[in-house]
Amino acid sequence: MAVRKNQATLTATEKRNFVSALLELKKSGRYDEFVRTHNEFIMSDSDTGDRVGHRSPSFLPWHRRFLIQFEQELQRVDSSVALPYWDWTADRTTTASIWGPDFLGGTGRSRDSQVTTGPFAYATGKWNINVSVDSRPYLQRELGSAVRQLPTRAEVDSVLAMTTYDMAPWNSASDGFRNNLEGWRGVNLHNRVHVWIGGQMATGVSPNDPVFWLHHCFIDKLWADWQRMHPTSPYLPGGNTADVVDLKDTMRPWNNVTPADMLDHTAHYTYDR
Amino acid sequence: MSSNLTRRSVLRGTAVAVAGAALAVPAAAAVANSAAPAMDHSGHEGHEGHDGHSGHGPQPFDETYQGRHIVGQPAMGGHMAHHGGFAVTIDGKELHVMQNADGTWISVVNHYQTFADPLALTRAAVDKLRGAALVPIATA
């Protein structure tokens, strides 16, 4: 059973193995399929129509399933690898070790936002951006540029305190835990982190940056933490909701998994704390 | 959940209705508003004027910004019409845009940050592109 750890606690060997597995998925073409899938959902999920991956209750179970599938691909390369999570309330500066040359590399250079350090720099020849919204083939970041601060622990705690999972109209206008965590209203957690990183992470093709997985792994952990804090609060809605994935509806693109199947992550992995 | 076919039909119907409304009432609102702060997602009550569903579509534009030709206009149908009934191009290439329930806008280039209207959204995309051309994204 995989144990997902805080990225700040990984050993040098664990970092190296994780990076190697990412590069191998990239080389095989498998990585880019995840980027493409994510972008297709982000472009089609809409507040007034069918919505599955984002701006809807299934944001959390959809990404949980997406991460499990990605983690399984990594483990096919190296069975010792598990997804790490990035607690951006703690490791919140542009000089944190997550951005070191031995892990994800740093921010982009001022001229064109191109990441030039670490294993995903364009000059390595191993990380070309193939699924893109524009013509630039290199990974970009502008850490802390479009928005100055990452969310604080106090802001996270204020969202974890919300007792209701989600509320009508089940979209970006909703109150409740899911939408405040996603960030379309309130203190803005998940969305703000995408914006803070900048580059591809601010776009529909955000999984082009490997930090996507560490960010979403922490969002997934916050869902698990919330469940533990509110054991009697169910996933909502329970049924018969147009355009929205109810508890026992199957989710695209898999069509064989429901939010109910995703509520207990311990069947697939555990967290280090 | 509805099937894809149903979803498309529903979305098309919505988009056509919104585009029609936008043509009938050529929008008094949205004069070069600056981008909404990334963190401020509370208090969007003031955006009714930009909400396609209330009958006031966003204001069309056609200008040169930072050396790029940007055009925004009501979408007349086709695949551009899905989200909010408004279509944007940068140097003739489509920028995928979408309207949120509160009337704010996002694009595929700035997908996690909301903007008050399509013009502010498009200018932000130009800033972010730094001269790069948009490319069509292959979808299944």
Side-chain angles (χ1 to χ4, degrees):
Chain A
M1 171 87 65
V3 179
R4 294 182 176 179
K5 300 175 185 172
N6 186 324
Q7 59 80 27
T9 70
L10 295 185
T11 66
T13 304
E14 286 171 329
K15 286 184 184 180
R16 197 162 53 236
N17 290 344
F18 178 64
V19 166
S20 298
L22 286 169
L23 295 176
E24 184 57 35
L25 285 192
K26 182 72 171 176
K27 191 172 152 188
S28 71
R30 194 70 193 89
Y31 191 95
D32 288 342
E33 292 175 34
F34 285 87
V35 184
R36 193 173 287 111
T37 296
H38 185 269
N39 189 57
E40 283 169 11
F41 276 82
I42 220 165
M43 285 173 61
S44 67
D45 295 325
S46 81
D47 279 340
T48 53
D50 206 8
R51 47 197 185 274
V52 180
H54 305 84
R55 57 180 67 235
S56 61
S58 47
F59 168 68
L60 290 169
W62 190 92
H63 281 84
R64 178 165 283 178
R65 181 67 186 83
F66 193 56
L67 262 62
I68 288 171
Q69 188 178 6
F70 185 74
E71 190 173 52
Q72 287 171 343
E73 291 288 341
L74 290 173
Q75 290 167 347
R76 235 180 260 188
V77 176
D78 180 344
S79 61
S80 78
V81 168
L83 285 179
Y85 63 86
W86 170 37
D87 178 351
W88 25 254
T89 70
D91 301 302
R92 51 187 298 106
T93 67
T94 59
T95 53
S97 64
I98 186 173
W99 309 116
D102 61 334
F103 201 31
L104 301 189
T107 194
R109 63 187 181 190
S110 58
R111 172 153 56 91
D112 58 2
S113 311
Q114 181 176 165
V115 171
T116 57
T117 57
F120 308 102
Y122 184 63
T124 63
K126 294 180 177 176
W127 204 261
N128 290 14
I129 303 302
N130 304 312
V131 180
S132 183
V133 297
D134 64 55
S135 53
R136 291 171 288 179
Y138 48 84
L139 181 63
Q140 305 146 34
R141 289 185 193 130
E142 297 175 281
L143 301 184
S145 163
V147 58
R148 199 168 291 274
Q149 297 290 339
L150 288 163
T152 64
R153 186 67 224 183
E155 287 171 328
V156 165
D157 287 341
S158 74
V159 172
L160 287 175
M162 296 175 176
T163 54
T164 304
Y165 177 77
D166 206 346
M167 299 184 196
W170 319 109
N171 62 17
S172 74
S174 292
D175 202 352
F177 171 68
R178 186 277 309 168
N179 196 36
N180 278 273
L181 177 62
E182 189 170 359
W184 297 113
R185 71 179 293 165
V187 296
N188 186 359
L189 301 181
H190 154 268
N191 282 354
R192 198 205 314 182
V193 176
H194 277 274
V195 174
W196 186 88
I197 295 165
Q200 279 89 2
M201 265 297 271
T203 75
V205 293
S206 47
N208 272 308
D209 191 329
V211 77
F212 174 92
W213 309 103
L214 284 74
H215 172 36
H216 269 279
C217 194
F218 187 54
I219 294 294
D220 184 82
K221 182 178 186 297
L222 292 178
W223 183 25
D225 294 344
W226 178 87
Q227 288 175 306
R228 211 161 43 206
M229 290 171 66
H230 308 281
T232 60
S233 294
Y235 175 93
L236 293 170
N240 299 312
T241 316
D243 293 332
V244 169
V245 182
D246 295 311
L247 178 65
K248 292 179 178 173
D249 288 341
T250 57
M251 294 185 286
R252 289 186 290 113
W254 309 284
N255 299 321
N256 63 355
V257 61
T258 67
D261 298 330
M262 286 291 107
L263 298 182
D264 180 9
H265 68 280
T266 61
H268 306 279
Y269 53 87
T270 57
Y271 282 107
D272 57 356
R273 57 180 288 272
Chain B
M1 280 192 27
S2 53
S3 70
N4 272 338
L5 189 63
T6 309
R7 179 181 128 242
R8 280 198 200 97
S9 318
V10 169
L11 284 172
R12 175 134 325 155
T14 305
V16 167
V18 170
L23 283 177
V25 185
V31 183
N33 288 333
S34 59
M39 285 186 290
D40 181 14
H41 293 276
S42 51
H44 277 139
E45 292 77 13
H47 287 299
E48 288 88 349
H50 307 293
D51 185 355
H53 304 288
S54 67
H56 302 277
Q59 183 153 321
F61 56 88
D62 183 337
E63 67 173 38
T64 299
Y65 174 74
Q66 301 286 331
R68 311 293 296 268
H69 183 208
I70 60 174
V71 177
Q73 57 195 342
M76 298 307 293
H79 70 291
M80 279 189 188
H82 282 182
H83 301 299
F86 202 80
V88 171
T89 58
I90 299 176
D91 290 341
K93 306 283 177 53
E94 182 194 358
L95 174 69
H96 186 271
V97 302
M98 185 187 294
Q99 189 172 29
N100 298 313
D102 68 359
T104 60
W105 294 79
I106 56 172
S107 79
V108 74
V109 172
N110 290 93
H111 208 95
Y112 302 91
Q113 184 177 10
T114 60
F115 293 84
D117 56 62
L119 179 57
L121 180 73
T122 306
R123 287 174 170 172
V126 167
D127 291 340
K128 195 164 159 53
L129 285 169
R130 293 175 183 244
L134 291 169
V135 296
I137 298 161
T139 53

